[in-house]
Amino acid sequence: MHAERLRALHQKVVALLDSRNTGRISEDEESMKDRAAHYLHSELKRMLLPDTEEESLRKGILDELFAYGPITPFLSDPMVTEIMVNGKNSVYVEKSGKLIRTDIAFLSDETLRGTIDRMVSRVNRRLDESSPYVDARLPDGSRINAIIPPACLSGPCLTIRKFRKEPFSMEELIGLRTLSEEAADYLREAVVNRMNIIVSGGTGSGKTTLLNALSRFIPDEERIVTIEDAAEIHLPKPHVIILEARPPNVEGTGSITIRDLVRNSLRMRPDRIIVGECRGGEALDMLQAMNTGHDGSITTGHANTPRDMLRRLETMVLFSGVEIPVKAIREQIASAIDILVHMSRLRDGRRAVTSIAEVTGISESQILLQDIFRRNHERGTGTRGELSATDVPSKFLPLGETGWA
């Protein structure tokens, strides 16, 4: 009954207003909202509903028309880190690393599409049948991905990943058992001593969170250039230049790729380059930057293990279109990369560092890795234990010199 009343009232309000104007920012949006609120007040009073139901209906309709529909409260809830709308009747949220199905629903595919259109229009992006998917960043820093028919057969689909206004510090990550204090000390020394680092892991494993924390160890006097698809790195440093890629415009021109920005950054005299994620031909330019005076650079990449990350780097270099023998690619990687930090999502929902490995050289067939820290499986449980040192001395940070252990 609640949903039927909501749908009927929604249709009446849309008929009262010009529905074409409720999906985008307009000069008279506030007056339209006031008019809708006044109309709803009079209509709801006639129904003689309990105050709580009246307020719920009123807020639900106004959110559908002018905010982000029933997911609006989740956007302001700091405990919610991800919102996944799989269709009008299927909404999941992530809390404390666990996925939870909610009991909320959109009135129809049209109202869900209206919500997506409002998000996309606020960041000047385009979404229609000729361009049925989009990646964008909301003003509050949240990252959204939307895809609509004909590319998505189940109806409009929306994924929102939220980020804290103040990124996690290394101390907070230690408190959350993301990594040990000993491993954090090692990584701090690695950053200060200008080791080139790749943070690998699966989707949502916490790569960017750790990258943010690592970046805080960079000395304030150094010039840093950050490069991302959607700006998520927040560095409280005085000398930072933030570059962001851009998709093609409506005419299909004007795109700015990560690779374009990496190449341009080399002319900006950076001390360090931080690439939010390497996923294509820019890997070659990133490796060359690491090998030509930009020590201490950091990037992330999707992979299941550190070894897989090295294989992916080889593949990404081949995407650059430059014909390079595989042996030469491996030599470039072995020379450029010093440390691989691997992140995983554990069974209890935590995002944690599962290994820290150093590149120690190259043999005829493969790049050599040595684990410095490893999170072993606990016997009989199949779950990951705590991150601990392997007692193998670091090639770059000898124990007697740095005191990291």
Side-chain angles (χ1 to χ4, degrees):
M1 182 61 71
H2 179 90
E4 292 175 2
R5 285 174 173 170
L6 198 61
R7 191 174 294 107
L9 274 173
H10 181 274
Q11 291 172 350
K12 287 182 180 180
V13 177
V14 169
L16 174 72
L17 305 171
D18 180 359
S19 62
R20 290 171 298 176
N21 290 331
T22 61
R24 58 172 69 93
I25 297 292
S26 59
E27 292 182 3
D28 61 342
E29 181 172 328
E30 283 303 315
S31 63
M32 291 175 64
K33 191 172 181 179
D34 289 341
R35 189 148 47 104
H38 179 75
Y39 176 79
L40 282 171
H41 178 75
S42 60
E43 285 292 312
L44 290 169
K45 285 300 180 186
R46 293 179 190 173
M47 296 182 180
L48 302 176
L49 301 171
D51 290 345
T52 54
E53 187 174 353
E54 179 182 328
E55 175 61 19
S56 176
L57 284 168
R58 185 190 68 80
K59 188 176 186 307
I61 293 173
L62 291 178
D63 282 348
E64 289 276 8
L65 288 169
F66 299 102
Y68 299 129
I71 64 172
T72 301
F74 296 132
L75 289 167
S76 57
D77 185 347
M79 298 300 295
V80 174
T81 54
E82 199 150 1
I83 304 166
M84 286 153 275
V85 183
N86 302 332
K88 64 178 181 178
N89 295 318
S90 178
V91 179
Y92 287 79
V93 298
E94 182 186 70
K95 286 188 177 182
S96 303
K98 298 284 189 178
L99 282 181
I100 303 168
R101 181 162 186 169
T102 70
D103 58 359
I104 68 169
F106 285 81
L107 293 177
S108 63
D109 283 343
E110 289 71 25
T111 58
L112 172 54
R113 175 64 190 275
T115 292
I116 295 172
D117 286 342
R118 277 190 291 281
M119 289 182 171
V120 171
S121 65
R122 280 176 164 86
V123 291
N124 298 315
R125 294 292 175 88
R126 170 193 176 197
L127 187 69
D128 53 37
E129 288 190 0
S130 62
S131 181
Y133 53 87
V134 65
D135 277 303
R137 177 171 49 86
L138 296 179
D140 67 355
S142 299
R143 190 174 70 197
I144 68 170
N145 173 273
I147 184 166
I148 61 173
C152 185
L153 300 182
S154 56
C157 181
L158 174 66
T159 307
I160 304 172
R161 179 171 295 179
K162 296 168 59 183
F163 297 94
R164 293 204 330 172
K165 292 182 180 179
E166 182 64 27
F168 283 99
S169 66
M170 192 61 76
E171 291 73 20
E172 288 178 295
L173 294 180
I174 293 170
L176 293 169
R177 296 165 57 211
T178 298
L179 74 170
S180 65
E181 188 171 351
E182 184 182 13
D185 290 341
Y186 168 84
L187 290 175
R188 181 187 66 247
E189 294 295 333
V191 172
V192 171
N193 284 276
R194 303 182 67 87
M195 300 294 109
N196 292 323
I197 300 173
I198 292 185
V199 182
S200 62
T203 301
S205 60
K207 299 185 298 296
T208 303
T209 298
L210 182 64
L211 187 150
N212 267 311
L214 290 175
S215 300
R216 293 189 175 199
F217 295 142
I218 298 174
D220 288 349
E221 64 271 14
E222 294 190 14
R223 178 176 171 89
I224 308 165
V225 176
T226 69
I227 302 169
E228 298 177 88
D229 271 330
E232 299 168 7
I233 301 171
H234 304 282
L235 297 185
K237 299 290 179 180
H239 203 168
V240 178
I241 299 93
I242 302 170
L243 307 182
E244 187 176 58
R246 187 177 69 183
N249 57 23
V250 177
E251 289 77 27
T253 60
S255 68
I256 303 173
T257 67
I258 293 288
R259 190 173 188 188
D260 294 334
L261 295 177
V262 171
R263 286 175 169 175
N264 184 77
S265 71
L266 301 179
R267 304 182 182 96
M268 299 174 70
R269 197 203 166 279
D271 291 306
R272 305 192 194 219
I273 300 171
I274 298 177
V275 178
E277 181 185 342
C278 273
R279 60 163 67 97
E282 67 272 6
L284 174 61
D285 302 279
M286 185 70 191
L287 291 172
Q288 290 178 334
M290 289 176 170
N291 275 323
T292 55
H294 300 92
D295 295 335
S297 296
I298 310 173
T299 188
T300 74
H302 282 81
N304 291 328
T305 66
R307 177 65 62 187
D308 285 345
M309 186 69 248
L310 295 178
R311 295 191 187 102
R312 279 211 69 216
L313 279 173
E314 291 181 25
T315 304
M316 288 189 285
V317 170
L318 295 174
F319 286 162
S320 69
V322 180
E323 293 188 9
I324 306 176
V326 172
K327 183 179 179 182
I329 295 173
R330 289 175 181 168
E331 289 172 349
Q332 282 256 22
I333 294 171
S335 175
I337 306 302
D338 296 314
I339 297 171
L340 288 98
V341 183
H342 190 72
M343 302 285 298
S344 297
R345 294 182 65 168
L346 307 185
R347 288 188 179 182
D348 60 5
R350 281 189 298 134
R351 296 166 170 86
V353 175
T354 52
S355 79
I356 301 175
E358 292 181 352
V359 176
T360 59
I362 185 170
S363 70
E364 292 184 1
S365 59
Q366 66 178 2
I367 299 167
L368 303 177
L369 284 178
Q370 177 63 63
D371 279 343
I372 304 300
F373 290 87
R374 185 188 301 124
R375 191 180 296 264
N376 295 314
H377 287 277
E378 293 182 344
R379 286 186 180 178
T381 65
T383 60
R384 295 276 189 175
E386 294 303 314
L387 187 69
S388 58
T390 60
D391 295 328
V392 174
S394 168
K395 175 182 175 182
F396 307 103
L397 304 171
L399 176 61
E401 295 181 14
T402 66
W404 57 265

